Amino acid sequence: MDTGTPFASALERAAHHAKVFLEGLDEIPVSAQVTYEELIKRLNRPLVDAGVEPATIIDDLAADVDGGLTISSSGRFFAWVIGGNLPSALAADWLTSAWDQNAGMFAVAPAAAVAEEVAGEWLKELLGLPKTASFAMVTGCQMAHFTCLAVARHALLAKHGWDVEKQGLAGSPPIRILTNDQYHATFELAVRYAGLGTDALVTVESNADGTMVPEALEKVLAESDGPTIVQLQAGDLNTGAYDAFEALIPLAHQHDAWVHVDGAFGLWCAASPMYRHLLKGVKHADSWAADGHKWLNVPFDSGYAFIAHPEPHSASMSIRASYLIHASEARDQVDWNPEWSRRGRGFPTYAAIRELGRDGVRDLIDRCNGHAHALVTRLGQLPNVEVASEPIINQGMVRFLDPKPGATDEDHDAFTDQVIASVTAEGEAFFGGVTWRGMRCMRVSVSSWLTNERDIDRTVAAVKRHLGAASTA
Ligand SMILES: Cc1ncc(COP(=O)(O)O)c(C=O)c1O
């Protein structure tokens, strides 16, 4: 109902366009269909003196971006690890903007602080993490890594008599960071942001699936008794593989190392009795980074940092200022987060968890994993397709083999990229490529609550069609 106020008319138009977009998800091409030049032509309007009526801007915006959006909420979007939007999370996200809370402190935004506190407790339970862990809701796994590293830096250096918040890092005991060879690029960025420097990264020998070899970790740990961080993986980016937490974490702790776990999407398997065994022992780590905007299907931006040791967590993040009103009972986000002013990003997570409940989260995980397995297996049955990595959770990889006689590995690499590009350009499904163990592969990631069997059928048919066309070209 348009009451005639600027808010009402702009929001009505936004709701209309959102509804048209979301109800058409199944039919519109999954990839953007207009060029950069076209988007610039549409959006690069002259900056004029007089402003424009809000509802008109919303109508113009919807028309201008038409065909220029990647439909990552579609059930046939399998690139990277992105996920869609649950209805309540999306709606709560709209309200978050309408309410425009500065969710830094209880005194500034009481309901935002409490919703976040409650959602944080729910997350710990769903992800199988200690009840006593502290947490921060940040923009994504990237900032979750940073938050965890800032805390690790504080705790490790304090043991060496160094106050990093006061003294900085110049002249401090150097921190080593032991990882497998497949760590996510955002972890490396976090290492840079935390001032630890990429020279601190030491690669520990990995198995073929990217998981760390315990004997190799033990050997590297014994090489120094300086401050050390061990980064482990709960769900490798490409293979979905899990490190052997039960063996690796006690080893690291014997050497007083801090164990950080990248569980951007893989930590969610804790919510499923079928997959929970993959995470055995993970709760003994010191920090964990995960995402909401991937597998929980909440809108961007939503990442979570969890820390087993609340004291160094608040010591590294919190600050006091005379003009602030610090809560005595409630939870102030500023004590745990790297940001000051910030979005009330607890609301969409709160809504998503309520919408799904424990059963719904378990179902989401089981369903996505089942679809990933079916998709990779069925693609692998097509001629000239090789399964490079069979999904153990929701990630897998296939490779397309150039059928021409005498084709080399380079030909197969080029052919794989050609098929990915051709499927994606048409827009029936969206995939990304990766160089894995020296070969080009197509990554398959199923993270959307919307993906169903029909999506898998349509996708297999599309790949078959494009593979056939590329083979006879
Ligand atoms: C394993 C892993 N870690 C970290 C990240 C980074 O997450 P974000 O993009 O939320 O910062 C990703 C994103 O794809 C990921 O797959």
Side-chain angles (χ1 to χ4, degrees), residues 8-315:
S9 50
L11 291 176
E12 291 261 322
R13 297 311 297 152
H16 165 75
H17 293 300
K19 209 161 156 272
V20 169
F21 172 75
L22 293 168
E23 284 175 356
L25 277 185
D26 217 24
E27 296 316 320
I28 45 178
V30 185
S31 54
Q33 300 289 307
V34 297
T35 60
Y36 168 76
E37 287 76 18
E38 174 62 22
L39 288 169
I40 283 280
K41 198 166 95 199
R42 293 188 202 165
L43 287 159
N44 191 13
R45 297 160 188 276
L47 177 60
V48 290
D49 290 339
V52 177
E53 205 248 323
T56 305
I57 298 166
I58 298 304
D59 284 342
D60 286 349
L61 192 58
D64 290 349
V65 304
D66 190 34
L69 301 173
T70 296
I71 315 302
S72 48
S73 329
S74 157
R76 279 167 287 108
F77 186 88
F78 304 112
W80 304 291
V81 189
I82 288 196
N85 278 332
L86 289 164
S88 70
L90 171 60
D93 199 57
W94 285 10
L95 281 177
T96 303
S97 293
W99 293 332
D100 196 23
Q101 299 292 283
N102 185 339
M105 311 188 78
F106 177 80
V108 183
V114 174
E116 193 163 327
E117 179 177 345
V118 172
E121 296 304 315
W122 288 345
L123 283 171
K124 283 187 278 175
E125 186 186 329
L126 287 167
L127 300 175
L129 302 179
K131 248 183 122 41
T132 48
S134 50
F135 69 91
M137 290 198 185
V138 289
T139 52
C141 200
Q142 164 72 87
M143 285 309 288
H145 283 322
F146 168 76
T147 306
C148 294
L149 285 183
V151 183
R153 185 181 72 171
H154 171 102
L156 289 171
L157 293 180
K159 284 188 196 163
H160 288 254
W162 191 272
D163 180 344
V164 70
E165 276 70 43
K166 188 160 166 284
Q167 296 171 273
L169 279 171
S172 73
I175 298 178
R176 292 189 307 162
I177 306 164
L178 315 186
T179 70
N180 63 27
D181 64 352
Q182 298 279 313
Y183 60 82
H184 196 267
T186 52
F187 181 72
E188 183 170 321
L189 275 179
V191 167
R192 285 162 46 179
Y193 298 164
L196 302 174
T198 53
D199 278 356
L201 289 163
V202 178
T203 305
V204 179
E205 187 192 335
S206 306
N207 297 304
D209 62 359
T211 58
M212 197 179 269
V213 176
E215 296 73 27
L217 176 66
E218 191 164 22
K219 189 160 164 276
V220 181
L221 281 166
E223 283 166 8
S224 158
D225 56 5
T228 303
I229 295 169
V230 176
Q231 200 248 185
L232 301 179
Q233 200 72 39
D236 176 85
L237 174 67
N238 296 311
T239 63
Y242 288 72
D243 273 315
F245 305 112
E246 256 191 323
L248 296 165
I249 295 177
L251 275 181
H253 283 166
Q254 274 164 28
H255 290 262
D256 242 358
W258 179 284
V259 180
H260 173 67
V261 176
D262 182 347
F265 53 88
L267 218 45
W268 284 101
C269 281
S272 162
M274 247 165 91
Y275 295 94
R276 195 172 284 155
H277 63 277
L278 296 166
L279 287 151
K280 212 158 173 221
V282 79
K283 67 176 182 207
H284 299 298
D286 300 286
S287 58
W288 306 262
D291 262 324
H293 57 215
K294 289 186 169 62
W295 222 350
L296 185 59
N297 281 255
V298 303
F300 292 100
D301 41 27
S302 181
Y304 316 121
F306 302 93
I307 320 271
H309 317 286
E311 248 177 61
H313 186 180
S314 66

Side-chain angles (χ1 to χ4, degrees), residues 28 359 390 414:
I28 45 178
D359 291 350
E390 186 180 333

